[in-house]
PDB file of all heavy atoms in Angstrom:
ATOM      1  N   HIS A  15      -3.352  -7.343   5.167  1.00  0.00           N
ATOM      2  CA  HIS A  15      -3.241  -5.909   5.413  1.00  0.00           C
ATOM      3  C   HIS A  15      -4.639  -5.307   5.381  1.00  0.00           C
ATOM      4  O   HIS A  15      -5.436  -5.641   4.497  1.00  0.00           O
ATOM      5  CB  HIS A  15      -2.358  -5.213   4.381  1.00  0.00           C
ATOM      6  CG  HIS A  15      -1.888  -3.857   4.822  1.00  0.00           C
ATOM      7  ND1 HIS A  15      -2.726  -2.755   4.860  1.00  0.00           N
ATOM      8  CD2 HIS A  15      -0.685  -3.423   5.275  1.00  0.00           C
ATOM      9  CE1 HIS A  15      -2.052  -1.711   5.310  1.00  0.00           C
ATOM     10  NE2 HIS A  15      -0.812  -2.086   5.575  1.00  0.00           N
ATOM     11  N   PRO A  16      -4.970  -4.413   6.329  1.00  0.00           N
ATOM     12  CA  PRO A  16      -6.343  -3.899   6.411  1.00  0.00           C
ATOM     13  C   PRO A  16      -6.712  -2.835   5.392  1.00  0.00           C
ATOM     14  O   PRO A  16      -7.892  -2.575   5.186  1.00  0.00           O
ATOM     15  CB  PRO A  16      -6.402  -3.323   7.827  1.00  0.00           C
ATOM     16  CG  PRO A  16      -4.992  -2.930   8.142  1.00  0.00           C
ATOM     17  CD  PRO A  16      -4.148  -3.979   7.474  1.00  0.00           C
ATOM     18  N   LYS A  17      -5.727  -2.216   4.727  1.00  0.00           N
ATOM     19  CA  LYS A  17      -6.026  -1.107   3.816  1.00  0.00           C
ATOM     20  C   LYS A  17      -5.686  -1.482   2.382  1.00  0.00           C
ATOM     21  O   LYS A  17      -4.543  -1.828   2.072  1.00  0.00           O
ATOM     22  CB  LYS A  17      -5.261   0.149   4.243  1.00  0.00           C
ATOM     23  CG  LYS A  17      -5.639   0.669   5.622  1.00  0.00           C
ATOM     24  CD  LYS A  17      -4.992   2.007   5.924  1.00  0.00           C
ATOM     25  CE  LYS A  17      -5.560   3.103   5.048  1.00  0.00           C
ATOM     26  NZ  LYS A  17      -5.046   4.445   5.417  1.00  0.00           N
ATOM     27  N   GLU A  18      -6.666  -1.356   1.511  1.00  0.00           N
ATOM     28  CA  GLU A  18      -6.464  -1.737   0.123  1.00  0.00           C
ATOM     29  C   GLU A  18      -5.437  -0.845  -0.569  1.00  0.00           C
ATOM     30  O   GLU A  18      -4.717  -1.294  -1.454  1.00  0.00           O
ATOM     31  CB  GLU A  18      -7.792  -1.690  -0.639  1.00  0.00           C
ATOM     32  CG  GLU A  18      -7.679  -2.032  -2.112  1.00  0.00           C
ATOM     33  CD  GLU A  18      -7.017  -3.374  -2.379  1.00  0.00           C
ATOM     34  OE1 GLU A  18      -7.205  -4.306  -1.576  1.00  0.00           O
ATOM     35  OE2 GLU A  18      -6.284  -3.494  -3.387  1.00  0.00           O
ATOM     36  N   GLY A  19      -5.339   0.421  -0.190  1.00  0.00           N
ATOM     37  CA  GLY A  19      -4.407   1.323  -0.854  1.00  0.00           C
ATOM     38  C   GLY A  19      -3.002   1.294  -0.299  1.00  0.00           C
ATOM     39  O   GLY A  19      -2.191   2.173  -0.619  1.00  0.00           O
ATOM     40  N   SER A  20      -2.670   0.312   0.503  1.00  0.00           N
ATOM     41  CA  SER A  20      -1.352   0.256   1.136  1.00  0.00           C
ATOM     42  C   SER A  20      -0.270  -0.160   0.153  1.00  0.00           C
ATOM     43  O   SER A  20      -0.553  -0.692  -0.933  1.00  0.00           O
ATOM     44  CB  SER A  20      -1.375  -0.741   2.295  1.00  0.00           C
ATOM     45  OG  SER A  20      -1.436  -2.066   1.790  1.00  0.00           O
ATOM     46  N   PHE A  21       0.981   0.054   0.540  1.00  0.00           N
ATOM     47  CA  PHE A  21       2.099  -0.409  -0.272  1.00  0.00           C
ATOM     48  C   PHE A  21       2.134  -1.929  -0.308  1.00  0.00           C
ATOM     49  O   PHE A  21       2.570  -2.531  -1.303  1.00  0.00           O
ATOM     50  CB  PHE A  21       3.410   0.154   0.275  1.00  0.00           C
ATOM     51  CG  PHE A  21       4.616  -0.223  -0.541  1.00  0.00           C
ATOM     52  CD1 PHE A  21       4.678   0.077  -1.898  1.00  0.00           C
ATOM     53  CD2 PHE A  21       5.698  -0.862   0.034  1.00  0.00           C
ATOM     54  CE1 PHE A  21       5.787  -0.276  -2.664  1.00  0.00           C
ATOM     55  CE2 PHE A  21       6.813  -1.206  -0.713  1.00  0.00           C
ATOM     56  CZ  PHE A  21       6.855  -0.912  -2.070  1.00  0.00           C
ATOM     57  N   ASN A  22       1.654  -2.564   0.761  1.00  0.00           N
ATOM     58  CA  ASN A  22       1.557  -4.022   0.752  1.00  0.00           C
ATOM     59  C   ASN A  22       0.666  -4.514  -0.385  1.00  0.00           C
ATOM     60  O   ASN A  22       0.911  -5.564  -0.968  1.00  0.00           O
ATOM     61  CB  ASN A  22       1.034  -4.542   2.094  1.00  0.00           C
ATOM     62  CG  ASN A  22       2.120  -4.757   3.101  1.00  0.00           C
ATOM     63  OD1 ASN A  22       2.552  -5.870   3.368  1.00  0.00           O
ATOM     64  ND2 ASN A  22       2.580  -3.662   3.704  1.00  0.00           N
ATOM     65  N   ALA A  23      -0.386  -3.744  -0.694  1.00  0.00           N
ATOM     66  CA  ALA A  23      -1.255  -4.123  -1.810  1.00  0.00           C
ATOM     67  C   ALA A  23      -0.493  -4.074  -3.126  1.00  0.00           C
ATOM     68  O   ALA A  23      -0.691  -4.924  -4.009  1.00  0.00           O
ATOM     69  CB  ALA A  23      -2.479  -3.209  -1.859  1.00  0.00           C
ATOM     70  N   ALA A  24       0.397  -3.092  -3.271  1.00  0.00           N
ATOM     71  CA  ALA A  24       1.213  -3.003  -4.483  1.00  0.00           C
ATOM     72  C   ALA A  24       2.175  -4.194  -4.568  1.00  0.00           C
ATOM     73  O   ALA A  24       2.404  -4.740  -5.662  1.00  0.00           O
ATOM     74  CB  ALA A  24       1.991  -1.687  -4.495  1.00  0.00           C
ATOM     75  N   ILE A  25       2.729  -4.593  -3.437  1.00  0.00           N
ATOM     76  CA  ILE A  25       3.605  -5.767  -3.411  1.00  0.00           C
ATOM     77  C   ILE A  25       2.811  -7.012  -3.781  1.00  0.00           C
ATOM     78  O   ILE A  25       3.253  -7.839  -4.591  1.00  0.00           O
ATOM     79  CB  ILE A  25       4.252  -5.929  -2.020  1.00  0.00           C
ATOM     80  CG1 ILE A  25       5.187  -4.756  -1.737  1.00  0.00           C
ATOM     81  CG2 ILE A  25       4.998  -7.259  -1.926  1.00  0.00           C
ATOM     82  CD1 ILE A  25       5.728  -4.730  -0.318  1.00  0.00           C
ATOM     83  N   ARG A  26       1.624  -7.152  -3.182  1.00  0.00           N
ATOM     84  CA  ARG A  26       0.744  -8.280  -3.520  1.00  0.00           C
ATOM     85  C   ARG A  26       0.485  -8.342  -5.024  1.00  0.00           C
ATOM     86  O   ARG A  26       0.597  -9.407  -5.646  1.00  0.00           O
ATOM     87  CB  ARG A  26      -0.568  -8.131  -2.767  1.00  0.00           C
ATOM     88  CG  ARG A  26      -1.643  -9.152  -3.127  1.00  0.00           C
ATOM     89  CD  ARG A  26      -3.029  -8.603  -2.823  1.00  0.00           C
ATOM     90  NE  ARG A  26      -3.328  -7.415  -3.617  1.00  0.00           N
ATOM     91  CZ  ARG A  26      -4.283  -6.535  -3.313  1.00  0.00           C
ATOM     92  NH1 ARG A  26      -5.018  -6.690  -2.236  1.00  0.00           N
ATOM     93  NH2 ARG A  26      -4.481  -5.483  -4.097  1.00  0.00           N
ATOM     94  N   ASP A  27       0.159  -7.201  -5.615  1.00  0.00           N
ATOM     95  CA  ASP A  27      -0.156  -7.173  -7.039  1.00  0.00           C
ATOM     96  C   ASP A  27       1.051  -7.551  -7.894  1.00  0.00           C
ATOM     97  O   ASP A  27       0.908  -8.222  -8.926  1.00  0.00           O
ATOM     98  CB  ASP A  27      -0.677  -5.794  -7.441  1.00  0.00           C
ATOM     99  CG  ASP A  27      -2.043  -5.493  -6.848  1.00  0.00           C
ATOM    100  OD1 ASP A  27      -2.699  -6.441  -6.359  1.00  0.00           O
ATOM    101  OD2 ASP A  27      -2.449  -4.314  -6.861  1.00  0.00           O
ATOM    102  N   MET A  28       2.248  -7.141  -7.463  1.00  0.00           N
ATOM    103  CA  MET A  28       3.452  -7.529  -8.196  1.00  0.00           C
ATOM    104  C   MET A  28       3.682  -9.039  -8.106  1.00  0.00           C
ATOM    105  O   MET A  28       4.032  -9.698  -9.098  1.00  0.00           O
ATOM    106  CB  MET A  28       4.670  -6.779  -7.658  1.00  0.00           C
ATOM    107  CG  MET A  28       5.987  -7.133  -8.345  1.00  0.00           C
ATOM    108  SD  MET A  28       5.978  -6.771 -10.128  1.00  0.00           S
ATOM    109  CE  MET A  28       6.112  -4.967 -10.072  1.00  0.00           C
ATOM    110  N   VAL A  29       3.480  -9.593  -6.920  1.00  0.00           N
ATOM    111  CA  VAL A  29       3.615 -11.040  -6.726  1.00  0.00           C
ATOM    112  C   VAL A  29       2.633 -11.784  -7.622  1.00  0.00           C
ATOM    113  O   VAL A  29       2.993 -12.751  -8.312  1.00  0.00           O
ATOM    114  CB  VAL A  29       3.398 -11.402  -5.242  1.00  0.00           C
ATOM    115  CG1 VAL A  29       3.209 -12.914  -5.065  1.00  0.00           C
ATOM    116  CG2 VAL A  29       4.565 -10.914  -4.395  1.00  0.00           C
ATOM    117  N   LEU A  30       1.377 -11.335  -7.649  1.00  0.00           N
ATOM    118  CA  LEU A  30       0.368 -11.982  -8.474  1.00  0.00           C
ATOM    119  C   LEU A  30       0.697 -11.868  -9.959  1.00  0.00           C
ATOM    120  O   LEU A  30       0.513 -12.813 -10.735  1.00  0.00           O
ATOM    121  CB  LEU A  30      -1.003 -11.363  -8.196  1.00  0.00           C
ATOM    122  CG  LEU A  30      -1.578 -11.592  -6.799  1.00  0.00           C
ATOM    123  CD1 LEU A  30      -2.863 -10.800  -6.608  1.00  0.00           C
ATOM    124  CD2 LEU A  30      -1.831 -13.079  -6.539  1.00  0.00           C
ATOM    125  N   GLU A  31       1.202 -10.708 -10.360  1.00  0.00           N
ATOM    126  CA  GLU A  31       1.580 -10.511 -11.762  1.00  0.00           C
ATOM    127  C   GLU A  31       2.669 -11.482 -12.189  1.00  0.00           C
ATOM    128  O   GLU A  31       2.603 -12.085 -13.274  1.00  0.00           O
ATOM    129  CB  GLU A  31       2.046  -9.066 -11.971  1.00  0.00           C
ATOM    130  CG  GLU A  31       2.533  -8.768 -13.380  1.00  0.00           C
ATOM    131  CD  GLU A  31       3.073  -7.355 -13.529  1.00  0.00           C
ATOM    132  OE1 GLU A  31       2.564  -6.443 -12.847  1.00  0.00           O
ATOM    133  OE2 GLU A  31       4.012  -7.173 -14.320  1.00  0.00           O
ATOM    134  N   LYS A  32       3.682 -11.646 -11.341  1.00  0.00           N
ATOM    135  CA  LYS A  32       4.785 -12.533 -11.685  1.00  0.00           C
ATOM    136  C   LYS A  32       4.361 -13.997 -11.665  1.00  0.00           C
ATOM    137  O   LYS A  32       4.866 -14.813 -12.452  1.00  0.00           O
ATOM    138  CB  LYS A  32       5.977 -12.297 -10.755  1.00  0.00           C
ATOM    139  CG  LYS A  32       6.607 -10.919 -10.935  1.00  0.00           C
ATOM    140  CD  LYS A  32       7.029 -10.691 -12.380  1.00  0.00           C
ATOM    141  CE  LYS A  32       7.587  -9.306 -12.607  1.00  0.00           C
ATOM    142  NZ  LYS A  32       7.983  -9.087 -14.022  1.00  0.00           N
ATOM    143  N   LEU A  33       3.440 -14.350 -10.795  1.00  0.00           N
ATOM    144  CA  LEU A  33       2.904 -15.710 -10.800  1.00  0.00           C
ATOM    145  C   LEU A  33       2.136 -15.973 -12.098  1.00  0.00           C
ATOM    146  O   LEU A  33       2.259 -17.034 -12.712  1.00  0.00           O
ATOM    147  CB  LEU A  33       1.995 -15.927  -9.594  1.00  0.00           C
ATOM    148  CG  LEU A  33       2.696 -16.060  -8.239  1.00  0.00           C
ATOM    149  CD1 LEU A  33       1.675 -16.010  -7.113  1.00  0.00           C
ATOM    150  CD2 LEU A  33       3.505 -17.352  -8.163  1.00  0.00           C
ATOM    151  N   HIS A  34       1.344 -14.991 -12.490  1.00  0.00           N
ATOM    152  CA  HIS A  34       0.596 -15.120 -13.741  1.00  0.00           C
ATOM    153  C   HIS A  34       1.546 -15.245 -14.929  1.00  0.00           C
ATOM    154  O   HIS A  34       1.350 -16.094 -15.813  1.00  0.00           O
ATOM    155  CB  HIS A  34      -0.312 -13.902 -13.919  1.00  0.00           C
ATOM    156  CG  HIS A  34      -1.025 -13.861 -15.238  1.00  0.00           C
ATOM    157  ND1 HIS A  34      -1.873 -14.860 -15.661  1.00  0.00           N
ATOM    158  CD2 HIS A  34      -1.011 -12.934 -16.228  1.00  0.00           C
ATOM    159  CE1 HIS A  34      -2.355 -14.552 -16.861  1.00  0.00           C
ATOM    160  NE2 HIS A  34      -1.841 -13.391 -17.228  1.00  0.00           N
ATOM    161  N   ASP A  35       2.595 -14.428 -14.943  1.00  0.00           N
ATOM    162  CA  ASP A  35       3.584 -14.490 -16.014  1.00  0.00           C
ATOM    163  C   ASP A  35       4.260 -15.857 -16.074  1.00  0.00           C
ATOM    164  O   ASP A  35       4.674 -16.303 -17.148  1.00  0.00           O
ATOM    165  CB  ASP A  35       4.651 -13.411 -15.834  1.00  0.00           C
ATOM    166  CG  ASP A  35       4.137 -12.005 -16.134  1.00  0.00           C
ATOM    167  OD1 ASP A  35       3.010 -11.886 -16.673  1.00  0.00           O
ATOM    168  OD2 ASP A  35       4.848 -11.037 -15.818  1.00  0.00           O
ATOM    169  N   ALA A  36       4.401 -16.501 -14.909  1.00  0.00           N
ATOM    170  CA  ALA A  36       5.053 -17.811 -14.851  1.00  0.00           C
ATOM    171  C   ALA A  36       4.105 -18.945 -15.217  1.00  0.00           C
ATOM    172  O   ALA A  36       4.506 -20.109 -15.247  1.00  0.00           O
ATOM    173  CB  ALA A  36       5.629 -18.041 -13.459  1.00  0.00           C
ATOM    174  N   GLY A  37       2.840 -18.612 -15.489  1.00  0.00           N
ATOM    175  CA  GLY A  37       1.881 -19.630 -15.869  1.00  0.00           C
ATOM    176  C   GLY A  37       1.292 -20.399 -14.711  1.00  0.00           C
ATOM    177  O   GLY A  37       0.778 -21.512 -14.884  1.00  0.00           O
ATOM    178  N   ALA A  38       1.348 -19.837 -13.516  1.00  0.00           N
ATOM    179  CA  ALA A  38       0.869 -20.525 -12.321  1.00  0.00           C
ATOM    180  C   ALA A  38      -0.651 -20.472 -12.204  1.00  0.00           C
ATOM    181  O   ALA A  38      -1.292 -19.517 -12.637  1.00  0.00           O
ATOM    182  CB  ALA A  38       1.494 -19.906 -11.076  1.00  0.00           C
ATOM    183  N   ASP A  39      -1.218 -21.511 -11.598  1.00  0.00           N
ATOM    184  CA  ASP A  39      -2.581 -21.450 -11.099  1.00  0.00           C
ATOM    185  C   ASP A  39      -2.496 -20.770  -9.736  1.00  0.00           C
ATOM    186  O   ASP A  39      -1.656 -21.153  -8.908  1.00  0.00           O
ATOM    187  CB  ASP A  39      -3.182 -22.844 -10.947  1.00  0.00           C
ATOM    188  CG  ASP A  39      -3.440 -23.511 -12.285  1.00  0.00           C
ATOM    189  OD1 ASP A  39      -3.785 -22.792 -13.238  1.00  0.00           O
ATOM    190  OD2 ASP A  39      -3.281 -24.735 -12.377  1.00  0.00           O
ATOM    191  N   VAL A  40      -3.344 -19.779  -9.491  1.00  0.00           N
ATOM    192  CA  VAL A  40      -3.195 -18.940  -8.307  1.00  0.00           C
ATOM    193  C   VAL A  40      -4.486 -18.875  -7.496  1.00  0.00           C
ATOM    194  O   VAL A  40      -5.575 -18.743  -8.057  1.00  0.00           O
ATOM    195  CB  VAL A  40      -2.769 -17.507  -8.692  1.00  0.00           C
ATOM    196  CG1 VAL A  40      -2.617 -16.633  -7.441  1.00  0.00           C
ATOM    197  CG2 VAL A  40      -1.471 -17.519  -9.483  1.00  0.00           C
ATOM    198  N   ARG A  41      -4.335 -18.962  -6.191  1.00  0.00           N
ATOM    199  CA  ARG A  41      -5.424 -18.683  -5.267  1.00  0.00           C
ATOM    200  C   ARG A  41      -4.944 -17.612  -4.291  1.00  0.00           C
ATOM    201  O   ARG A  41      -3.815 -17.694  -3.774  1.00  0.00           O
ATOM    202  CB  ARG A  41      -5.866 -19.930  -4.508  1.00  0.00           C
ATOM    203  CG  ARG A  41      -6.461 -21.004  -5.407  1.00  0.00           C
ATOM    204  CD  ARG A  41      -6.978 -22.184  -4.602  1.00  0.00           C
ATOM    205  NE  ARG A  41      -7.467 -23.251  -5.485  1.00  0.00           N
ATOM    206  CZ  ARG A  41      -8.014 -24.389  -5.059  1.00  0.00           C
ATOM    207  NH1 ARG A  41      -8.132 -24.605  -3.737  1.00  0.00           N
ATOM    208  NH2 ARG A  41      -8.428 -25.301  -5.926  1.00  0.00           N
ATOM    209  N   LEU A  42      -5.791 -16.626  -4.053  1.00  0.00           N
ATOM    210  CA  LEU A  42      -5.465 -15.532  -3.140  1.00  0.00           C
ATOM    211  C   LEU A  42      -6.397 -15.570  -1.945  1.00  0.00           C
ATOM    212  O   LEU A  42      -7.620 -15.608  -2.101  1.00  0.00           O
ATOM    213  CB  LEU A  42      -5.606 -14.186  -3.862  1.00  0.00           C
ATOM    214  CG  LEU A  42      -5.532 -12.931  -2.986  1.00  0.00           C
ATOM    215  CD1 LEU A  42      -4.132 -12.765  -2.393  1.00  0.00           C
ATOM    216  CD2 LEU A  42      -5.931 -11.697  -3.803  1.00  0.00           C
ATOM    217  N   ILE A  43      -5.813 -15.576  -0.753  1.00  0.00           N
ATOM    218  CA  ILE A  43      -6.579 -15.416   0.479  1.00  0.00           C
ATOM    219  C   ILE A  43      -6.289 -14.021   1.017  1.00  0.00           C
ATOM    220  O   ILE A  43      -5.166 -13.727   1.412  1.00  0.00           O
ATOM    221  CB  ILE A  43      -6.195 -16.477   1.532  1.00  0.00           C
ATOM    222  CG1 ILE A  43      -6.585 -17.881   1.052  1.00  0.00           C
ATOM    223  CG2 ILE A  43      -6.869 -16.169   2.868  1.00  0.00           C
ATOM    224  CD1 ILE A  43      -6.160 -18.989   2.016  1.00  0.00           C
ATOM    225  N   ASP A  44      -7.301 -13.155   1.008  1.00  0.00           N
ATOM    226  CA  ASP A  44      -7.190 -11.803   1.552  1.00  0.00           C
ATOM    227  C   ASP A  44      -7.881 -11.824   2.916  1.00  0.00           C
ATOM    228  O   ASP A  44      -9.106 -11.742   3.013  1.00  0.00           O
ATOM    229  CB  ASP A  44      -7.863 -10.805   0.602  1.00  0.00           C
ATOM    230  CG  ASP A  44      -7.664  -9.357   1.013  1.00  0.00           C
ATOM    231  OD1 ASP A  44      -7.527  -9.096   2.237  1.00  0.00           O
ATOM    232  OD2 ASP A  44      -7.683  -8.481   0.140  1.00  0.00           O
ATOM    233  N   LEU A  45      -7.093 -11.952   3.966  1.00  0.00           N
ATOM    234  CA  LEU A  45      -7.638 -12.214   5.295  1.00  0.00           C
ATOM    235  C   LEU A  45      -8.564 -11.121   5.793  1.00  0.00           C
ATOM    236  O   LEU A  45      -9.639 -11.393   6.336  1.00  0.00           O
ATOM    237  CB  LEU A  45      -6.495 -12.440   6.284  1.00  0.00           C
ATOM    238  CG  LEU A  45      -5.645 -13.685   6.029  1.00  0.00           C
ATOM    239  CD1 LEU A  45      -4.454 -13.728   6.983  1.00  0.00           C
ATOM    240  CD2 LEU A  45      -6.486 -14.944   6.170  1.00  0.00           C
ATOM    241  N   TYR A  46      -8.171  -9.859   5.629  1.00  0.00           N
ATOM    242  CA  TYR A  46      -9.020  -8.762   6.094  1.00  0.00           C
ATOM    243  C   TYR A  46     -10.273  -8.630   5.239  1.00  0.00           C
ATOM    244  O   TYR A  46     -11.373  -8.394   5.754  1.00  0.00           O
ATOM    245  CB  TYR A  46      -8.246  -7.448   6.101  1.00  0.00           C
ATOM    246  CG  TYR A  46      -7.329  -7.283   7.282  1.00  0.00           C
ATOM    247  CD1 TYR A  46      -5.995  -7.659   7.202  1.00  0.00           C
ATOM    248  CD2 TYR A  46      -7.797  -6.747   8.488  1.00  0.00           C
ATOM    249  CE1 TYR A  46      -5.141  -7.503   8.282  1.00  0.00           C
ATOM    250  CE2 TYR A  46      -6.960  -6.585   9.573  1.00  0.00           C
ATOM    251  CZ  TYR A  46      -5.636  -6.965   9.470  1.00  0.00           C
ATOM    252  OH  TYR A  46      -4.793  -6.816  10.546  1.00  0.00           O
ATOM    253  N   LYS A  47     -10.133  -8.790   3.940  1.00  0.00           N
ATOM    254  CA  LYS A  47     -11.273  -8.622   3.035  1.00  0.00           C
ATOM    255  C   LYS A  47     -12.361  -9.641   3.321  1.00  0.00           C
ATOM    256  O   LYS A  47     -13.554  -9.331   3.257  1.00  0.00           O
ATOM    257  CB  LYS A  47     -10.817  -8.727   1.585  1.00  0.00           C
ATOM    258  CG  LYS A  47     -11.901  -8.396   0.578  1.00  0.00           C
ATOM    259  CD  LYS A  47     -11.339  -8.381  -0.834  1.00  0.00           C
ATOM    260  CE  LYS A  47     -12.405  -7.995  -1.849  1.00  0.00           C
ATOM    261  NZ  LYS A  47     -11.845  -7.942  -3.229  1.00  0.00           N
ATOM    262  N   GLU A  48     -11.968 -10.858   3.653  1.00  0.00           N
ATOM    263  CA  GLU A  48     -12.967 -11.887   3.925  1.00  0.00           C
ATOM    264  C   GLU A  48     -13.430 -11.882   5.376  1.00  0.00           C
ATOM    265  O   GLU A  48     -14.331 -12.643   5.743  1.00  0.00           O
ATOM    266  CB  GLU A  48     -12.458 -13.263   3.548  1.00  0.00           C
ATOM    267  CG  GLU A  48     -11.454 -13.878   4.504  1.00  0.00           C
ATOM    268  CD  GLU A  48     -11.199 -15.355   4.207  1.00  0.00           C
ATOM    269  OE1 GLU A  48     -10.763 -15.668   3.085  1.00  0.00           O
ATOM    270  OE2 GLU A  48     -11.433 -16.172   5.096  1.00  0.00           O
ATOM    271  N   GLY A  49     -12.832 -11.035   6.201  1.00  0.00           N
ATOM    272  CA  GLY A  49     -13.234 -10.957   7.595  1.00  0.00           C
ATOM    273  C   GLY A  49     -12.839 -12.192   8.395  1.00  0.00           C
ATOM    274  O   GLY A  49     -13.565 -12.618   9.298  1.00  0.00           O
TER     275      GLY A  49
END
């Protein structure tokens, strides 16, 4: 998603939070941020 303040960003953050809660090792690829 191209905008950091989007609702998609909130969904992303919830997904990451639940992965962290589950004890997962996590890697995030932010396609727009990395160009």
Side-chain angles (χ1 to χ4, degrees):
H15 197 286
K17 297 187 68 174
E18 178 55 34
S20 72
F21 183 56
N22 273 257
I25 295 172
R26 174 205 62 199
D27 291 346
M28 179 60 74
V29 167
L30 294 174
E31 177 184 327
K32 294 304 177 181
L33 287 170
H34 174 59
D35 288 349
D39 290 326
V40 180
R41 296 184 184 182
L42 170 67
I43 295 177
D44 186 331
L45 295 174
Y46 281 93
K47 187 174 182 178
E48 76 169 59

